[in-house]
Amino acid sequence: MGKNRLEAFSDGVLAIIITIMVLELKVPHGETPDALLPLLPAFLSYVLSFVYIGIYWNNHHHMLHVATRVSGPMLWANLHLLFWLSLFPFATGWMGENHFAAMPSALYGLVLLMAAIAYWLLEQTIIASEGPASVLKRAVGRDWKGKLSPVLYAIAIAATFRVPWVAQAIYVLVAIVWLVPDPRIERTLHREKV
C-alpha cells in the first residue's frame, strides 16, 4: 500500500476530529459580549486542542514524507494513534464544560499522554521498517521533545488534583515547545540531497 493512502485517511480523520470539536462549541444566548464569558473555558480548551491536533497533523505529515513504504505494523500503529486523537473532542468538551476541573483535566492529560505514546510507537514502527540508517532515525536523533512530553503529561495529570492551574500550564507549555518549528526532518532531507 502506498503511503499516500495512509496519509489521506489520517488527514480525513483529523479533519473530522477538528470539525467535531468546533461543533461542540455552543452558540451564546444573548447578543452582548457578556454572553460570551460563560463560553470562555470551552473556547480555550478548544483552542488548546486545535493546536495539539495541528501539531500532530504537521509532524505526522513530515514523518510519513520520509517513509518509503507502508507495512502492516505501521497501519496498526497509525490506527492506534488515530484512536487516541479521536478522543480529543470528548476530553476537550468535558474539560471546557467543567471549567478545567480536576477529573476532566486529568482525563485530558491522559489522552495527551496516550497520544504521545502512540505517536512514539508509530515513529519507532516506521524506523524499524526503514532500518537503522533511515532518514527518520537520523532526523529524530535523541528526540528530547518526544521523551520529555510524556513525562510532563504525567506530572500534569498528578498536578490536576493538587494545583489544577499547574496542569493547564504544563499542557500549554508542551504545546508551545512543539509549536516552535522543528526542522529536523527537512534539515536531514536537505543533507541527503547535497
Side-chain angles (χ1 to χ4, degrees):
M1 177 163 99
K3 63 182 181 178
N4 291 342
R5 186 165 179 214
L6 176 65
E7 191 170 17
F9 175 73
S10 301
D11 287 349
V13 171
L14 294 175
I16 291 168
I17 290 168
I18 289 174
T19 302
I20 291 169
M21 284 192 318
V22 77
L23 291 175
E24 289 293 317
L25 293 176
K26 306 296 181 225
V27 176
H29 299 289
E31 57 190 48
T32 65
D34 291 340
L36 295 172
L37 287 177
L39 303 175
L40 191 59
F43 179 73
L44 292 176
S45 65
Y46 166 75
V47 169
L48 181 61
S49 292
F50 185 91
V51 167
Y52 268 111
I53 295 295
I55 289 166
Y56 274 104
W57 175 77
N58 190 354
N59 289 323
H60 187 267
H61 168 74
H62 284 97
M63 188 166 53
L64 288 181
H65 180 73
V66 297
T68 57
R69 62 185 170 276
V70 174
S71 66
M74 283 171 58
L75 292 174
W76 286 108
N78 193 67
L79 281 173
H80 180 232
L81 172 62
L82 293 177
F83 170 78
W84 290 106
L85 294 178
S86 73
L87 293 176
F88 266 68
F90 175 77
T92 301
W94 196 32
M95 184 173 70
E97 286 293 320
N98 291 287
H99 300 245
F100 307 100
M103 188 55 76
S105 292
L107 176 71
Y108 187 81
L110 179 64
V111 170
L112 288 172
L113 174 62
M114 296 308 295
I117 291 169
Y119 183 86
W120 180 82
L121 288 172
L122 175 59
E123 180 180 85
Q124 295 308 305
T125 304
I126 293 171
I127 289 170
S129 175
E130 300 282 317
S134 70
V135 174
L136 183 59
K137 175 66 176 166
R138 287 194 312 274
V140 296
R142 287 187 249 156
D143 195 21
W144 69 270
K145 285 194 221 181
K147 292 175 183 168
L148 180 63
S149 298
V151 172
L152 290 175
Y153 294 143
I155 292 168
I157 292 166
T160 58
F161 299 103
R162 298 197 193 285
V163 190
W165 69 268
V166 169
Q168 299 304 323
I170 291 172
Y171 299 153
V172 170
L173 173 69
V174 174
I176 290 170
V177 165
W178 282 99
L179 268 178
V180 173
D182 188 0
R184 295 180 295 177
I185 291 176
E186 289 94 346
R187 195 172 41 235
T188 304
L189 281 174
H190 179 68
R191 281 193 296 248
E192 295 274 315
K193 292 177 182 174
V194 173

